[in-house]
Amino acid sequence: MDKSQIPNPQSAIFLGVDGGQSHTEAVIADERGNLLGRGTGGASNHAEQPGGRDRLRRAVIDSVGSAIR
């Protein structure tokens, strides 16, 4: 995402990530609530289970990376 895609390039940009059992979703929006990007990744719960932290890390990376693209 480059500045030409942002309605007001001087506005603050916010990232929200919601992780759960079925999938993880990330959204990027500006301070006026304009949605700039949305992405999803895999499940991100049970971080304390074997392999859970790796799944959590991958889900966040995938969802945020997709939202940025």
Side-chain angles (χ1 to χ4, degrees):
M1 176 182 324
D2 62 44
K3 286 188 176 188
S4 68
Q5 295 173 299
I6 300 172
N8 177 2
Q10 299 302 314
S11 67
I13 303 298
F14 298 90
L15 168 67
V17 180
D18 178 23
Q21 281 186 322
S22 63
H23 70 283
T24 299
E25 185 167 354
V27 294
I28 299 172
D30 68 13
E31 62 192 16
R32 293 186 176 169
N34 296 307
L35 183 64
L36 304 175
R38 171 177 272 145
T40 60
S44 59
N45 64 332
H46 304 298
E48 298 303 318
Q49 299 299 318
R53 289 179 187 234
D54 290 331
R55 283 191 300 276
L56 170 62
R57 185 176 297 110
R58 175 59 32 209
V60 172
I61 289 169
D62 289 349
S63 62
V64 172
S66 182
I68 290 171
R69 284 188 290 287

